[in-house]
Amino acid sequence: MPLSSPPQPSESSPLILTGPIALEATLNSGQVFHWARLKDDSWSGVIGHMAARVSQRNGDLVVHSGDGAALSHYFALNHPLDEIYAAFPQDPMSQAALASCSGIRILRQPRWECVATFITSSMKQVAHIRAMSLDIRRRFGAEAAGAPTNAYPGFDRMARLGESDLRECGLGYRAGNLLKTARLLDAGGIDLEAIASLRTPALRASLQKLPGVGVKVANCILLFAYERLDAVPIDVWIHRILLQMRRGRTGSPAQLARYARSRLGPCAGYVQQYLFHHARTARRGSSPH
DNA sequence: TACCAGGCACGCC
DNA sequence: GGCGTGCATGGT
C-alpha cells in the first residue's frame, strides 16, 4: 500500500479514525491547554502549525479538518488501551478512576509547546494555564488558517521577546524562566528532538537543565511529549492520592516517587493521568464553582 | 480576608 | 538528599 496519499477529510466527508477515545476528557485532562469547543460540539485546535477540527462519534475520532495521519499520531490512537487497562492496579481508587476516565489518551504533543506550557504551569490552576497559553498564542503566534487560535510561537520567536511581553500575559515570575529556556534552545544549547533518543533518566536530566523545569515539570514533558508512559508527575493532587494509598504515611518526594513507580505499574503515567482527572472532576461535581 | 493552584531555584544543613 | 523560603497571579 502506498503511504504517499492517505485519505484526507473534507466537510462533506469527514475521516473516521477508530478509537476508542474519550475526546472531551482527553482535551480537558490537564495535558494540553488550548483546544476550544465549538457550537456543534466539535473541537478546534492547532498542532504545531496545523489547524485541526475533530469530534467524537460513538468511541471514534471524527476528523473534519487536519491531516489524518498526523492526528492519529497526536491522539495516540495506536496506544493499546486494553493492555494498558489490564496493567492498572487493582486498588479501589485506581479502578474507580479507570471506570470514570476510560478512553482518555496520553497525547503525543509537539515538544516545545509542551515544554513551554508546563514551565508556565507552576502554582497555577488548569484554567489559568489555559488563559496564559491562549494569550501567548494570540499575541505572538502565527495564524493557523481556519483555527480560532494561533500556533504557539516557536522558541526562536519567543527568544526575541522581552520579559515584560510575557509578564503581560499573566506569567508573573514564570516569564523569566520561559524566556531563558527559549533563548537557551534558540542558541542551540539543547536540541529537544535529538534528546528524544536518550533513555528516560538521561532525558529527564537533560530537560531539568532548562530554566523552570524541575522534576515535576520534567515528568509532565516526558509523559506528554516523549511518550514515556511510566513517567509520573507528582503534583498536589497526585501527592494527596499517594498519601491515601499509603494510609497517610508521608515520605520525602523521592520516596513517594519510588512508591508511585512500584505501585502504579508499567503504565504508571496513564494511571496517574486517570487518577488526576478523576480527582479533579469529582471535586467539581461536589462543590460547583 | 485567607487560602489554594499540574513548582522551581536557592541557600543551608 | 532533605527542608525552608521567596516568587506572581487569579479564583473562591
Side-chain angles (χ1 to χ4, degrees):
Chain A
M1 283 253 321
L3 298 173
S4 55
S5 58
Q8 294 301 321
S10 67
E11 288 305 322
S12 57
S13 63
L15 179 65
I16 309 294
L17 301 177
T18 301
I21 183 170
L23 181 61
E24 176 172 8
T26 295
L27 296 178
N28 280 337
S29 65
Q31 44 178 331
V32 66
F33 302 95
H34 75 277
W35 286 81
R37 181 179 205 144
L38 305 183
K39 290 176 185 173
D40 63 355
D41 282 348
S42 67
W43 293 81
S44 177
V46 183
I47 304 164
H49 288 279
M50 182 187 75
R53 189 166 72 84
V54 296
S55 64
Q56 181 183 337
R57 184 184 301 165
N58 299 320
D60 295 328
L61 186 70
V62 182
V63 178
H64 302 276
S65 65
D67 179 76
L71 285 163
S72 181
H73 181 263
Y74 178 80
F75 283 101
L77 295 180
N78 66 337
H79 280 172
L81 290 189
D82 49 353
E83 293 176 24
I84 292 168
Y85 294 166
F88 259 57
Q90 290 298 314
D91 67 90
M93 280 197 292
S94 300
Q95 289 296 315
L98 174 54
S100 74
C101 299
S102 179
I104 287 182
R105 289 181 182 268
I106 303 288
L107 302 174
R108 295 189 183 98
Q109 294 185 49
R111 269 94 193 216
W112 160 243
E113 291 182 28
C114 186
V115 167
T117 54
F118 277 97
I119 285 175
T120 68
S121 75
S122 86
M123 294 299 290
K124 278 289 189 185
Q125 294 180 348
V126 169
H128 301 153
I129 304 167
R130 173 182 173 81
M132 290 184 289
S133 169
L134 291 176
D135 212 17
I136 289 172
R137 287 172 180 271
R138 181 179 63 80
R139 291 176 186 238
F140 308 117
E143 282 190 30
T149 187
N150 291 343
Y152 200 88
F155 52 72
D156 53 341
R157 165 77 170 121
M158 193 173 286
R160 286 157 184 79
L161 298 177
E163 185 173 327
S164 61
D165 293 321
L166 293 175
R167 283 191 177 250
E168 286 173 6
C169 299
L171 270 67
Y173 64 86
R174 304 157 193 82
N177 286 331
L178 181 55
L179 188 57
K180 282 186 228 168
T181 289
R183 289 177 176 168
L184 191 157
L185 295 174
D186 187 53
I190 287 181
D191 183 335
L192 292 179
E193 304 305 323
I195 61 177
S197 62
L198 296 174
R199 294 170 64 87
T200 297
L203 178 53
R204 182 184 291 109
S206 292
L207 291 171
Q208 288 189 235
K209 292 176 183 170
L210 301 173
V213 179
V215 60
K216 188 272 174 183
V217 168
N219 279 320
C220 286
I221 299 165
L222 286 170
L223 183 59
F224 302 138
Y226 289 91
E227 205 174 9
R228 306 303 163 100
L229 301 184
D230 56 340
V232 180
I234 300 178
D235 72 329
V236 293
W237 292 90
I238 298 300
H239 184 85
R240 281 196 289 263
I241 290 167
L242 291 175
L243 290 188
Q244 283 184 47
M245 287 182 170
R246 290 160 61 96
R247 295 192 175 87
R249 189 165 57 90
T250 58
S252 70
Q255 286 174 319
L256 289 177
R258 282 193 293 273
Y259 176 82
R261 194 166 60 238
S262 64
R263 175 66 181 267
L264 301 185
C267 298
Y270 255 95
V271 179
Q272 170 278 150
Q273 192 65 13
Y274 282 41
L275 288 168
F276 175 79
H277 187 67
H278 181 53
R280 289 187 64 247
T281 51
R283 165 178 163 275
R284 279 207 297 271
S286 60
S287 63
H289 49 273

